[in-house]
Amino acid sequence: MQFINDHGALVIKTKGETVRIEAWGEDSFRVRATMFPQFTGNAWALTEKVPAKACKIEIYEKNHWVGDGTIDKREYASITNGRMKVEVNFVGILSFFKDDKLILREYFRFYDGTISKGSRCLKIVGRDWKGVIGGSDYTLNLKFDSNDGEKIFGMGQYQQPYMDLKGSILELAQRNSQISVPFYISSLGYGMLWNNPAVGRVTFANNYTEWIAQSTKEMDYWITAGDTPKAIMASYTNVTGHAPMFPEDLMGLWQCKLRYRTQDEVLEVARQYQKEGIKIDQIVIDFFHWTVQGDWKFDKKYWPDPKAMVDELHAMGIKVIVSVWPSVDRRSENFYPMTERGLLIRTERGAMQTYDYQGDCVEIDPFNPETREYVWEICKKNYYDFGIDAFWLDNSEPDYGVYDFDNYRYYAGPALQVSNMYPQMYSRIFYDKMSERGDGSVVNLLRCAWAGSQKYGNVIWSGDIPSTFEAFRDQLQCGLNMGLAGIPWWTTDIGGFMTEDVNNPDFRQLLIRWYQFAVYSAVLRMHGDRGPYNIPPLDDRDFGGGYLHTGQPNELWSYGEDNYRIMKKYYDIRIAMHDYIRDLYQEAHENGSPLIRTMFYEFPDDKKCWEVTDQYMFGSEYLVAPILHLNEFERDVYLPTGKWSLTSNQIAFDGEQVVHVKAPIDYMPVFKKVL
C-alpha cells in the first residue's frame, strides 16, 4: 500500500490499482480508480469548473489488534475538505465522514472481524475488478456498507410505486419511460453521483449497496455533504451545470396529440383555440409528418407550405415544435451516405438493424461530431429555416428494437460503456447549434436524460405510459425523484399516452385528475395516443404522413362540456400563477431546485415529510394533494408546521396534523402556505 500527496489529491496505489481522491467543490470529493496506468481524463457529468480547494492530507499509523492478542501498527491516510473527510485504511478501504460522523463506507469482508466486521474466509472486497473476456476493459463491482434507517431518493425515473429507493434494484440503462440519472440524495445528509455512463445496475439492499458497471475503464463517483436536500442539490448543480432560464412565453399550455397529419389540421386547431379565447404557447407536430424515418423533412403532400403555416402560428403568438427521431430507414435518402461515413450505430454481430417500428432502421450515432453536424444541417434546412422554434427529440434513449446493449457500438466506444449518455449527446445536436445562434433560450423536448442534461435545455417527459390510475401514481414518484436527480424540467403526457377508448368515463375522470396535477408541474402539456382507431388513413401509400393511424382529438374541448369547463378553470389557475412559476424556474436556474418537490425538500426537519409519498410541494408555497384513485372524492392530507389555507375556500389550518378534505371532480386539494 502506497499513499501519495499529489498536489493536494490523495493517491493510493495497491495491487495494480490506482485510487485518486480530490476535492471537487465545497464539502465534496471526486473519487476515481483504475487498473490502467493512467486515468481516461473523461469529465462525464462533472463538466463545470470548480475552485481548487486546499485539502488537509494526513498519513499516519493506527494500532491494529492482531489475532494472537498483540498490537501491530498499520498505515492509514485521510483527506479533509471542509465538513467532509475520507479515511483510507491499510488495505485501501474508503470511509466517508460528515462532521466526523461516518456516513458511508466501502464494504469489506476480507480480514479479521476487528477491522471488517466479517470473516476472513469470505474474501470480499469493496472494489472488485474483473477483466472482460476477450477485451482489455473491466467489469466493476463496487460495494458499500448499508446504513440502517437510511432513505434514498433520486436516481432518475423508474416505473414503480416506490419513492424511497432503499430496497430497490435499479438497472443503470435507458429505456422508453425509464431514465437513468445516477445521482441520489440520502436522508443522512449527503448526495452521491455515479459518474459513469456504463450500462449496469445499482442495488440499495439492506445488507449492502452495490454498483455494477458491465464494461468500464475506471471507477468514478462524486460525493457531497449538506445540511438540507436543497443545499446538496445546489452543490450538485454547481459541478454538473445549471438549467438555463426557462422562457416566460412557454409557461402556459402546450397542445399536442397523436398526431396532426397535415398543416391544415394544425392551423384548424390553433384557430379554434384562438376563437375559444385560450392562448396556447406551443403546438407540437408529432411523428410521421415526414416521408420516411431519417429524411427529416415534411411530406410535401400534406405539408405544402410549412413556412406559411409557421408564420400564421407565430402571428397568433404560438411557437412550433416538431418531432425528430434518431432512426434512419433503409429507404431514406440519408441512409447510405450516413452508413458510408460511419454516422450510424454499429452492431457487433448480425444485421445492422437497431430499430424496427414502421421500417428497417438504424439509429444515428450522436457521439460522433460529424453525425451531429450532418443531422443539424438537414434539420436546419428542412425545419429551422422555416421558423420552427424547437425540436421534440423522441426515442432519445435510443429506443432499441431489442435492448441488447452488448451488440451496439458508438464512436465513443461500446454501448456497454457509454450508452447512458446517448440522450444527452442526441440533445446536443440541436442545443449546441441553436445556442450558438443566440436566438434566445433553447427548450427542446426529450424522452430521456442523463446526469447533467439539465444544462442542455431539456424538458424531459416520462415516456409512453398507459392511461391508468396506477401509472398516474407512479408518475408522481417519477417526477419527484427526477427532480432530486437534478432534472427540474420534467413533465408527463396528460392522461397517459395509451388510451383504448376516449369515451370511457373512467378514462375521462383520469384525464381530469391528471390535468389538475399537470397544472401544478413544470410544463402543462396535452398529449396522448387516443383510441379507438377508427379514423381512416388519408391515402394508401405505405410511407409518408397519410398512411399511418392518428388518435382521436385531444384538445381541451374534446371531452365534453363538463370536462372542458373544469380544464378551462384550471387553465386559468395556471395562467394566474405565471409570475410564481417564473420565480420557480428562476430558482431552478440558480440552485437546481425542482419545480415539483418532495415534502422533505421544503421541510427536512419534519420526520413525517420523509414518509409522505402521495403529496408534494409546488415550489415553497403550494402543497398539492393529487387525486390518485378512481372515484376518489376526498382524501387525507398531512400539513407540516406553519399555517395553511385551502385554496378552494380559504379555510385556514394549523400545521403538524392530518386533515381530511373533500375533492369533487372539479377540485384537487391544494393548500397555500400562510406567511
Side-chain angles (χ1 to χ4, degrees), residues 36-208:
F36 291 95
Q38 294 180 332
F39 291 101
T40 64
N42 289 320
W44 301 130
L46 297 174
T47 57
E48 306 307 293
K49 292 183 179 179
V50 293
K53 289 286 179 181
C55 288
K56 179 182 178 182
I57 294 179
E58 295 182 284
I59 300 171
Y60 50 92
E61 291 184 334
K62 273 188 177 183
N63 290 336
H64 170 67
W65 294 93
V66 184
D68 60 4
T70 60
I71 298 175
D72 191 10
K73 289 187 179 295
R74 300 290 176 89
E75 196 169 52
Y76 284 67
S78 69
I79 178 170
T80 303
N81 175 18
R83 302 171 63 185
M84 280 278 287
K85 181 176 77 171
V86 186
E87 184 179 77
V88 189
N89 73 3
F90 63 93
V91 289
I93 296 300
L94 278 56
S95 300
F96 296 85
F97 298 83
K98 172 190 173 186
D99 298 329
D100 296 322
K101 181 179 180 180
L102 180 67
I103 55 172
L104 191 66
R105 178 169 54 197
E106 287 184 337
Y107 187 87
F108 184 51
R109 300 294 186 270
F110 193 90
Y111 282 89
D112 65 85
T114 308
I115 297 298
S116 67
K117 302 190 302 181
S119 167
R120 71 173 67 190
C121 301
L122 289 173
K123 300 181 182 179
I124 299 175
V125 295
R127 301 182 302 275
D128 190 13
W129 302 89
K130 301 292 186 187
V132 175
I133 296 175
S136 61
D137 300 318
Y138 290 86
T139 293
L140 171 64
N141 185 312
L142 173 65
K143 292 183 175 68
F144 292 98
D145 278 332
S146 177
N147 294 304
D148 291 341
E150 181 180 21
K151 295 180 181 299
I152 291 171
F153 303 89
M155 291 299 298
Q157 174 183 289
Y158 291 86
Q159 299 297 331
Q160 61 178 33
Y162 308 109
M163 191 164 77
D164 178 4
L165 301 174
K166 188 64 178 289
S168 294
I169 301 173
L170 306 177
E171 181 189 37
L172 300 176
Q174 315 291 20
R175 296 174 183 258
N176 184 347
S177 80
Q178 174 178 294
I179 305 173
S180 176
V181 186
F183 174 72
Y184 73 83
I185 289 177
S186 165
S187 60
L188 299 182
Y190 73 91
M192 178 177 164
L193 166 69
W194 180 249
N195 191 36
N196 189 327
V199 173
R201 184 177 71 247
V202 59
T203 303
F204 296 110
N206 288 327
N207 53 338
Y208 56 77

Side-chain angles (χ1 to χ4, degrees), residues 14-59:
T14 177
K15 299 178 181 177
E17 181 190 46
T18 301
V19 180
R20 183 178 181 88
I21 309 169
E22 56 195 313
W24 207 274
E26 203 80 32
D27 304 321
S28 308
F29 288 104
R30 184 183 187 184
V31 182
R32 286 177 288 172
T34 185
M35 298 297 289
F36 291 95
Q38 294 180 332
F39 291 101
T40 64
N42 289 320
W44 301 130
L46 297 174
T47 57
E48 306 307 293
K49 292 183 179 179
V50 293
K53 289 286 179 181
C55 288
K56 179 182 178 182
I57 294 179
E58 295 182 284
I59 300 171

